[in-house]
Amino acid sequence: MHSKLAAALWVLSLTLVQSLPVTPTFAASKKGGKNKRKNVVGKGFGAAPAAPDLQEVVAKFPTRVPEQAQQCECPCAWTPGKLYKDCCEPFHLKEKEPESPVEVLRSRYSAFAWRMPLYILETTHPECRDYRKDKVAWIKDLNRDGMFDSYDFCKLEASPQEFSEINPNEGFIRFKVTLRANESSGSHIEGQEIVIQEKSRFLNVGGDGKVCWKYAGGEVTSEVAGLEDAILNN
């Protein structure tokens, strides 16, 4: 999954908005008249305050991580009944690196489900279209538009991971994510479920005998009537 998902996975976002009601925002310019420029006058003396770093920005974001998360079943439910602390938490805490495409997939799914945008950035390969060098701007956009706040994550289903015949460091997974519109979506669609499908590409960036896989992009489709064959993140 990826950030615009399309986003998404993912990840995110999944351009889910193309199949659900949205409210567009437009910027209109006035006709006629002269453009007026405001004079900006600095106040006070001394250097401007330093811009917040990535961690400071993320600390202000809302989260969906439940209390006593370690004792909760992991959102990915890859192994039914397995606790978060024994499943995806070691990846989120950087105690482990994803050693396979499927570990990237399920840990990113859990990060989207529980609203952990920093992990989405950390596991995105530079070849992914969502990747941006300005991490602060990227994570602000992801927080605003790519964390599926109007939906609850219901289920992750995936086919077995596959690997390129010519490049063992390139892998692919086809998966489905079921989302359910929550109350913030509006009463007209609350409770409605939508299934997002993606064929994701992953790359191993490990070196010197190490293994570390990252999400490198994918093609997102939906089971919404009329959009079955459309690539939503083109």
Side-chain angles (χ1 to χ4, degrees):
M1 292 183 69
H2 45 92
S3 69
K4 293 186 180 178
L5 294 185
L9 256 166
W10 4 138
V11 303
L12 343 263
S13 2
L14 280 163
T15 56
L16 177 61
V17 294
Q18 296 189 25
S19 59
L20 294 171
V22 295
T23 302
T25 301
F26 301 93
S29 58
K30 295 182 179 179
K31 294 183 179 180
K34 297 182 179 180
N35 292 330
K36 296 181 179 180
R37 297 183 61 186
K38 294 182 178 180
N39 293 323
V40 180
V41 180
K43 296 181 179 180
F45 300 91
D53 62 24
L54 192 60
Q55 295 289 346
E56 291 172 333
V57 171
V58 173
K60 298 179 180 179
F61 292 165
T63 180
R64 293 190 286 265
V65 178
E67 295 184 10
Q68 305 299 321
Q70 289 189 328
Q71 303 306 316
C72 294
E73 182 175 359
C74 193
C76 76
W78 201 255
T79 301
K82 193 170 187 178
L83 299 181
Y84 172 62
K85 68 183 181 69
D86 299 320
C87 192
C88 289
E89 186 182 40
F91 300 113
H92 296 162
L93 294 180
K94 300 182 182 180
E95 296 174 353
K96 292 176 60 178
E97 297 283 5
E99 296 183 349
S100 66
V102 73
E103 288 188 345
V104 182
L105 173 64
R106 63 182 179 83
S107 60
R108 281 173 64 94
Y109 174 90
S110 293
F112 272 111
W114 280 2
R115 215 179 195 288
M116 302 175 176
L118 184 57
Y119 186 75
I120 303 304
L121 265 66
E122 294 170 342
T123 52
T124 300
H125 192 278
E127 288 191 14
C128 179
R129 71 179 69 189
D130 296 330
Y131 186 88
R132 294 165 62 180
K133 290 183 178 180
D134 187 340
K135 299 295 195 301
V136 170
W138 179 13
I139 205 164
K140 286 181 177 179
D141 286 347
L142 183 60
N143 174 65
R144 184 183 66 245
D145 301 325
M147 295 310 295
F148 303 96
D149 292 325
S150 297
Y151 297 87
D152 298 326
F153 284 70
C154 301
K155 183 168 55 176
L156 170 65
E157 303 171 273
S159 300
Q161 58 190 9
E162 302 174 350
F163 296 92
S164 169
E165 294 181 357
I166 60 175
N167 180 7
N169 291 315
E170 181 181 41
F172 303 89
I173 302 179
R174 294 181 183 273
F175 67 91
K176 295 182 180 181
V177 174
T178 302
L179 303 172
R180 181 184 299 117
N182 59 38
E183 58 184 11
S184 65
S185 300
S187 58
H188 58 300
I189 61 170
E190 183 179 356
Q192 176 182 331
E193 290 189 355
I194 184 169
V195 177
I196 300 298
Q197 305 173 115
E198 182 173 335
K199 179 183 178 182
S200 289
R201 175 174 176 252
F202 302 86
L203 292 172
N204 177 23
V205 298
D208 298 327
K210 296 181 180 180
V211 178
C212 178
W213 287 82
K214 294 196 175 188
Y215 173 79
E219 294 184 344
V220 180
T221 59
S222 172
E223 292 185 350
V224 172
L227 294 175
E228 296 91 343
D229 299 322
I231 304 299
L232 300 182
N233 59 329
N234 273 347

